[in-house]
Amino acid sequence: MTASHNNFARFQPILLSVLRITSAYMFMLHGTAKLFALPHIERFDGLQLMSLLGLAGVLEVFGGALLLLGLFTRTVAFVLSGMMAVAYFMFHAAKTPLFPLMNNGEAAALFCFIFLYLSAAGGGAWALDNQLNKKA
């Protein structure tokens, strides 16, 4: 390994937290749009809470909040990764499975793999999980 690689590698735990926090925030926006119309997106007008999209909104808001804080990161990220895989194959892949750009499934696919990575890597340096592990 080169010296420049080692210098940059020391930021890995912090950058992992930045990835977790920014992804969780953007994920939560999908949920708040569905549940609270914030930001308002017309396609979610009249959304029923007891529907697949309503359940997705709940998972996006509350699961996203847990990820944002870095609480139960691995478990929550694994569940949300599965949710995004189901979303991709249920709502996007039927049109053109290998072309997320064409089936509007880019966000679902990216969230799926980001969350899968977080389920393996953990929450990074700025996760509240680190505080829970110290007490255990």
Side-chain angles (χ1 to χ4, degrees), residues 32-47:
T32 59
K34 288 178 181 90
L35 298 180
F36 310 118
L38 295 170
H40 181 261
I41 298 174
E42 286 184 28
R43 71 175 184 247
F44 297 133
D45 284 348
L47 175 77

Side-chain angles (χ1 to χ4, degrees), residues 60-80:
E60 288 163 349
V61 170
F62 293 103
L66 288 171
L67 280 186
L68 187 78
L69 297 170
L71 273 174
F72 313 112
T73 302
R74 292 176 192 271
T75 303
V76 171
F78 186 75
V79 169
L80 295 181

Side-chain angles (χ1 to χ4, degrees), residues 39-105:
H40 181 261
I41 298 174
E42 286 184 28
R43 71 175 184 247
F44 297 133
D45 284 348
L47 175 77
Q48 298 295 315
L49 187 60
M50 298 309 257
S51 67
L52 279 178
L53 280 178
L55 175 61
V58 170
L59 287 170
E60 288 163 349
V61 170
F62 293 103
L66 288 171
L67 280 186
L68 187 78
L69 297 170
L71 273 174
F72 313 112
T73 302
R74 292 176 192 271
T75 303
V76 171
F78 186 75
V79 169
L80 295 181
S81 175
M83 175 190 142
M84 289 290 90
V86 168
Y88 183 79
F89 287 107
M90 258 182 103
F91 297 106
H92 302 285
K95 300 172 190 168
T96 51
L98 297 177
F99 300 102
L101 180 64
M102 295 175 71
N103 66 29
N104 295 322

